[in-house]
Amino acid sequence: MKKKYQYITFLLLLFALANVAQLVSCSGSKAEEADKADSAAESLVSVDTGKMPGGKYGDAVRYGRELMLHTAYYIGPEGINGHYTGNKMNCTNCHRDAGTRPYAFNLVRSFRDYPQYRAREGRILSLAERINNCVMRPNLGRPLPLDGKEMISIMAYLKFLSDSSNVSKTTKGLKNMEVELPNVAASSDRGEVLYAQNCERCHAKNGEGKMRFDNVTYEYPPVWGLLAYRPGSSMHRVVKLAQWLKGNMPYDKTAEGKPFLTDAEALDIAAFVNDDKKHKRPLPKTTKEVDYPHYEEKAIDYDKGPFKDPFSEQQHKYGPYKPIIDYWEGQGIKPAI
């Protein structure tokens, strides 16, 4: 009987030790996960594109990256693999370094973040639909077939970016740089002077950009005109464009996370570039397109009414934006910026 009790005591001791080991392991694992999350939040977003997979999936990933970098060459108006985009701009003109550059419409989280509700469309969009948004709006094109090589390759590349990065939603550089919104409206006239000083040398006085020597694509893309992005594109919003400009332009004077332009300067340049009274832009191909069908969800710098607030199209476009923000926050609604 004594031996039996000793055996049971031994088993209980083993069970207790196993539980302690498991708790230590779990707590250590959780601590490691927490450390990784903290590290991801504090570090600047980065991806090692040299570690692409092999095989047929790797081929798709590499072609997807090529499509980002050389969109016009492959699927532009004279593309070798199809004619889908309507101008000769490349995805990397906005999503710099094929979507990997911090503060430049970074795409590292896109495969994780979609499907996603989009206020502009007023519904949940798949990642493929969001890709076609870019093909149709800034690139003036027609949708890529959802089961085609190009769409699948772009999505494979975006999956690779997601799989190859250690990021959280708060990792630095995933979003464009924030700009402080002043108490005065952005000025197209001030922006015109700043454009001449900072932008004209590349994008030309008339905004048409600079075509590459082989006429395949742009060395510097157009910023207005009938071959630039059209109204309804994200870049056509003054605050959204200013955030991008702050983090990226002038390209040879701005380092990652170290802007050259002040917030006010970025807003004024964005106001000038997006001044449709001064510059022409391509129009949507259909009159059936409706942006922000739920008016209370409209971005504060979206300038087409009707609005469910007392502010004019002029103020929505150029500001001052703080009264608009205060109004919606007073309604218990977080305004979209």
Side-chain angles (χ1 to χ4, degrees), residues 292-309:
Y292 297 100
H294 308 299
Y295 303 143
E296 70 278 4
E297 296 178 349
K298 285 187 177 182
I300 60 168
D301 55 340
Y302 185 77
D303 64 337
K304 297 292 183 293
F307 303 107
K308 283 194 174 181
D309 61 38

Side-chain angles (χ1 to χ4, degrees), residues 17-56:
L17 288 172
N19 279 337
V20 169
Q22 186 175 11
L23 285 171
V24 170
S25 173
C26 287
S27 63
S29 176
K30 288 179 180 177
E32 288 175 6
E33 289 177 6
D35 287 343
K36 286 182 179 180
D38 290 341
S39 174
E42 287 300 317
S43 61
L44 197 63
V45 59
S46 64
V47 175
D48 185 356
T49 55
K51 295 182 179 179
M52 290 190 180
K56 293 182 179 179

Side-chain angles (χ1 to χ4, degrees), residues 273-326:
V273 168
N274 284 333
D275 189 339
D276 297 329
K277 293 179 180 177
K278 293 181 179 179
H279 312 307
K280 290 183 178 180
R281 285 198 180 277
L283 296 174
K285 293 183 178 181
T286 173
T287 57
K288 295 180 180 180
E289 184 179 287
V290 177
D291 287 341
Y292 297 100
H294 308 299
Y295 303 143
E296 70 278 4
E297 296 178 349
K298 285 187 177 182
I300 60 168
D301 55 340
Y302 185 77
D303 64 337
K304 297 292 183 293
F307 303 107
K308 283 194 174 181
D309 61 38
F311 305 100
S312 66
E313 289 188 349
Q314 176 84 2
Q315 185 164 348
H316 272 281
K317 180 150 190 168
Y318 300 110
Y321 301 108
K322 287 184 178 178
I324 303 174
I325 294 171
D326 291 343

Side-chain angles (χ1 to χ4, degrees), residues 7 24 39 50 64-65 88 97 130 133 144 153 155 180 209 220 226 240 244-245 260 273 279 306 324:
Y7 180 70
V24 170
S39 174
R65 185 169 186 270
K88 294 185 177 183
D97 298 343
R130 185 69 185 95
N133 272 180
L144 295 171
S153 295
M155 293 184 70
E180 185 176 347
Y220 304 108
L226 298 182
K240 184 68 74 175
W244 188 90
L245 290 172
F260 176 81
V273 168
H279 312 307
I324 303 174

Side-chain angles (χ1 to χ4, degrees), residues 171-188:
T171 298
K172 296 175 183 177
L174 283 173
K175 296 183 179 180
N176 292 351
M177 299 195 86
E178 293 184 3
V179 295
E180 185 176 347
L181 301 176
N183 293 318
V184 296
S187 168
S188 173

Side-chain angles (χ1 to χ4, degrees), residues 222-264:
V223 290
W224 66 77
L226 298 182
L227 294 175
Y229 58 84
R230 67 170 179 81
S233 303
S234 296
M235 285 288 209
H236 193 246
R237 290 167 42 197
V238 169
V239 175
K240 184 68 74 175
L241 176 56
Q243 292 171 340
W244 188 90
L245 290 172
K246 179 182 175 180
N248 294 278
M249 293 290 127
Y251 78 95
D252 55 353
K253 295 181 180 180
T254 300
E256 290 179 359
K258 297 178 181 179
F260 176 81
L261 299 172
T262 67
D263 291 8

Side-chain angles (χ1 to χ4, degrees), residues 10 17 30 34 58 93 99 150 154 168 180 186 197 204 213 217 230 237 244 260 265 267 270 286 309 322 331 334:
F10 178 71
L17 288 172
K30 288 179 180 177
N93 290 145
E150 282 65 36
I154 292 172
S168 70
E180 185 176 347
Q197 294 171 349
F213 70 94
T217 187
R230 67 170 179 81
R237 290 167 42 197
W244 188 90
F260 176 81
E265 288 172 338
L267 284 162
T286 173
D309 61 38
K322 287 184 178 178
Q331 306 293 313
K334 183 180 179 180

